[in-house]
Every structure is written in C-alpha cells, then in structure tokens.
Amino acid sequence: MQKTLIIIKPDAVQRRLTGGIIKRFEDKGFQILGLKMTCIPESLARQHYSVHKGKDFYEPLIRYMTSGPVVLMVLKGKNAIEVTRKMMGTTFGADAQPGTIRGDYALSNRFNLIHGSDSESTAEKEIKTFFTVTELVEYEAMDLSWIYDTSTGTIV
Ligand code: IDP
Ligand code: MG
C-alpha cells in the first residue's frame, strides 16, 4: 500500500471545493491517515517547490501557495500516487480531462486546485515535511476486504 501527500490549494479552499475533493478520494476507496487545515509558511512553500526554483512561474507559485489556507491530507491505498494524480488531471486546468478534479473545476495554468506527490521518494519527503508522527493515524480500515479482494492473502 502506498501513501501520498495531497494539498488542497488556496483557490480550492476559497471556492468551497474542499469537501467535494475529499469526497472523491474517499469514494474511490482511499483511507485518510492525516488531515488538517493550515497556512503554509513561505519558507516551507519554497522548500516544497524547490524543483521549480528559477522557472518563470516559481515566484507567483510561492505567492499563490501562501495566499490563504490549504488543506493537507495523507492518503493510503493501492498505487495511491499514480491513481490520485490521475484523479487530479494534468497540470493546466483548461487541458485537464473532464472527470478529473482539475478538468471539472479549473481553467487556469496556475490556480489548479490541488497538489499530489509524484513519486514514492517525494511522497515520503512531503509527508514528513507537513505532518508530525502523532498527526498521522494508522488504523484498520473496516471495509478493506470490500475495497480490495483480500481473500487470497494479498491485496488484489
Ligand atoms: P503538478 O502540480 O501537476 O505536479 P508541476 O509542474 O509540478 O505540476 O508545477 C507545480 C505547480 O506550479 C502547478 O500545479 C501549478 O500550480 C504551477 N505551474 C506549473 N506550470 C506553470 C506554468 O507554466 N504557469 C503557471 N503556473 C504553473
Ligand atoms: Mg509537481
């Protein structure tokens, strides 16, 4: 089972899309291990997006990510990183496939509502950056055997 960090970005919070976005991930079968609302300090935003440092969209991106509260979430599930990114849609709102979060609710190249980790190593790093150990709850999902076929001893 994989874990990933999701950020419901300031535009999504202001547009009251938080609940709808969380619902999509819950409906899919992902388990929420951590959830909180916060404002990301500028230093943390710079660190989180350091791969984009020097690009023309870096400074506006930092202003965007620090412009209001965000909702941070750690999700767990099979192939969580790839599946959540598929559910998010491609980066630019106007290009994103209908049926995805960005495809259904975004038009902007920058204000695209949501972040999701893009690899196992970044997920591990990002989860540690935004959540303390005590903020993450490992608990048994009672419906696990209906989300997946667990009858053979592996998760299918
Ligand atoms: P991702 O969020 O789909 O992984 P990245 O390429 O990692 O996309 O870019 C990080 C964020 O920076 C995007 O989600 C978007 O908010 C913003 N961004 C990326 N490319 C552009 C651009 O060309 N113009 C404006 N903003 C951009
Ligand atoms: Mg990215």
Side-chain angles (χ1 to χ4, degrees):
M1 288 280 203
Q2 221 172 35
K3 291 175 196 171
T4 191
L5 179 90
I6 299 291
I7 306 176
I8 301 176
K9 294 179 174 181
D11 51 334
V13 173
Q14 294 293 345
R15 291 174 56 193
R16 304 165 206 264
L17 294 171
T18 302
I21 290 172
I22 293 173
K23 180 167 167 52
R24 286 181 181 231
F25 292 124
E26 280 203 300
D27 286 350
K28 181 71 171 168
F30 287 113
Q31 190 187 3
I32 300 172
L33 301 187
L35 182 68
K36 63 181 175 185
M37 176 181 263
T38 188
C39 290
I40 300 181
E42 189 186 318
S43 58
L44 207 55
R46 289 188 180 280
Q47 181 193 320
H48 176 69
Y49 279 123
S50 59
V51 292
H52 297 306
K53 198 174 170 192
K55 295 182 187 165
D56 60 345
F57 64 83
Y58 180 70
E59 292 300 331
L61 174 61
I62 301 306
R63 284 198 292 278
Y64 163 40
M65 291 303 293
T66 56
S67 63
V70 298
V71 172
L72 296 158
M73 188 163 49
V74 174
L75 296 180
K76 180 177 169 185
K78 187 175 178 175
N79 216 356
I81 293 167
E82 190 190 330
V83 176
T84 54
R85 283 185 66 92
K86 239 189 245 173
M87 291 172 71
M88 286 162 46
T90 52
T91 304
F92 298 160
D95 298 338
Q97 272 285 107
T100 64
I101 293 163
R102 289 165 171 170
D104 285 351
Y105 302 120
L107 282 169
S108 168
N109 289 356
R110 179 170 302 122
F111 286 12
N112 59 2
L113 311 171
I114 185 159
H115 164 83
S117 308
D118 63 6
S119 72
E120 279 200 25
S121 61
T122 48
E124 203 179 311
K125 235 184 286 169
E126 290 176 357
I127 290 167
K128 270 199 203 127
T129 301
F130 288 104
F131 284 86
T132 64
V133 173
T134 54
E135 285 173 335
L136 295 172
V137 189
E138 287 281 356
Y139 58 99
E140 192 185 343
M142 297 311 292
D143 58 1
L144 198 75
S145 62
W146 293 109
I147 301 286
Y148 308 99
D149 184 354
T150 57
S151 64
T152 56
T154 52
I155 285 171
V156 177

